[in-house]
Amino acid sequence: RTIGDRIGEAKASGNLGNTLKILGQFDEAVVCCQRHLDISREQGDKVGEARALYNIGNVYHAKGKNLSWNTAQDPGYLPQEVKDTLQKASEYYERNLSLVKELGDRAAQGRAYGNLGNTQYLLGNFSEAIAFHKERLAIAKEFGDKAAERRAYSNLGNAHIFLGRFDVSAEYYKKTLQLSRQLRDQAVEAQACYSLGNTCTLLQDYEKAIEYHLRHLVIAQELGDR
């Protein structure tokens, strides 16, 4: 501010916002991220504007998740305050998405799609969540981003469960399991086995369910995860 560096001030405000979000000070975080947005617009900085929109979405997303943990509800069955907060997150992600499309930034589009999928899932809009996660998956494959691809499969599996498409979920969870092994991520492998165990139970394939739950148990013991 002293040297009149507006872009620098915008970035610093954005960083403050992100830090306040991590500290759980969501309302203060929004104020800082909004300043990042306002200055970026004033300076005609499209990249900064896109980043600020994404960051504000993240603040509302984190706030919504934080509020929903306190109520421990299934996706879709949320108090109004939580719904409104997640809806706001979704709106900012949508605005970010249209701007990064304009800028031709595919990686940023992938991030926006993933977060839109997650917010719609929490809101109980499972079909919309699936559409967004499929877009996320396509971009992850485009970039050869195995970790993002794995997350997309996992999220697609979760959303299909709530639509009662257990067989489709099982296929997505199997892909999650495959990738977690490729990535040598044992905690994620355990999680995938757990999801597959539950899905096989829903499909009444009890032999397979036992197999997956035992695998989950073995990894949990290996990791010393009580």
Side-chain angles (χ1 to χ4, degrees):
R1 277 181 180 159
T2 310
I3 62 172
D5 175 0
R6 292 294 275 168
I7 298 271
E9 185 184 338
K11 283 182 182 165
S13 299
N15 289 337
L16 264 172
N18 292 339
T19 310
L20 287 162
K21 178 197 76 178
I22 294 164
L23 291 169
Q25 295 171 29
F26 302 115
D27 298 338
E28 294 94 322
V30 169
V31 172
C32 292
C33 291
Q34 185 65 46
R35 191 182 306 128
H36 184 192
L37 181 61
D38 295 341
I39 299 172
S40 298
R41 280 186 178 149
E42 164 209 302
Q43 296 293 313
D45 174 8
K46 292 279 194 192
V47 174
E49 185 183 340
R51 197 162 289 152
L53 288 167
Y54 182 73
N55 287 343
I56 297 174
N58 283 345
V59 175
Y60 282 119
H61 193 177
K63 184 182 180 181
K65 279 203 289 198
N66 192 275
L67 290 167
S68 68
W69 283 332
N70 300 338
T71 57
Q73 299 278 349
D74 269 341
Y77 299 93
L78 297 166
Q80 197 55 47
E81 187 194 0
V82 182
K83 276 187 185 166
D84 293 344
T85 306
L86 290 169
Q87 202 49 58
K88 269 187 183 164
S90 209
E91 282 159 22
Y92 277 101
Y93 288 141
E94 290 273 13
R95 285 160 68 186
N96 164 263
L97 181 61
S98 67
L99 191 48
V100 293
K101 276 182 176 171
E102 200 184 302
L103 294 167
D105 185 342
R106 286 294 279 168
Q109 286 169 46
R111 288 192 291 276
Y113 280 125
N115 283 337
L116 277 163
N118 292 335
T119 47
Q120 290 305 310
Y121 173 81
L122 289 172
L123 285 163
N125 304 328
F126 302 114
S127 298
E128 289 90 331
I130 286 165
F132 286 128
H133 284 308
K134 281 185 173 168
E135 294 282 359
R136 175 68 192 110
L137 179 62
I139 295 174
K141 284 180 170 174
E142 221 173 275
F143 281 88
D145 183 342
K146 294 289 184 193
E149 192 183 331
R150 198 272 309 152
R151 285 195 300 275
Y153 283 135
S154 184
N155 289 328
L156 283 162
N158 295 342
H160 278 93
I161 288 280
F162 282 95
L163 293 176
R165 299 187 195 141
F166 306 136
D167 49 342
V168 180
S169 286
E171 289 313 307
Y172 281 123
Y173 288 142
K174 279 174 190 165
K175 289 187 162 126
T176 308
L177 181 59
Q178 224 175 331
L179 276 174
S180 66
R181 284 176 178 160
Q182 270 183 39
L183 293 163
R184 294 194 167 80
D185 187 333
Q186 277 204 297
V188 173
E189 184 183 340
Q191 187 59 53
C193 289
Y194 177 78
S195 299
L196 274 163
N198 289 339
T199 310
C200 288
T201 301
L202 292 167
L203 288 165
Q204 300 184 337
D205 184 348
Y206 302 116
E207 290 299 317
K208 268 274 176 249
I210 289 168
E211 220 173 280
Y212 285 122
H213 283 309
L214 281 171
R215 179 76 195 122
H216 175 221
L217 178 62
V218 168
I219 299 174
Q221 287 168 340
E222 278 174 20
L223 295 174
D225 183 341
R226 302 287 286 174

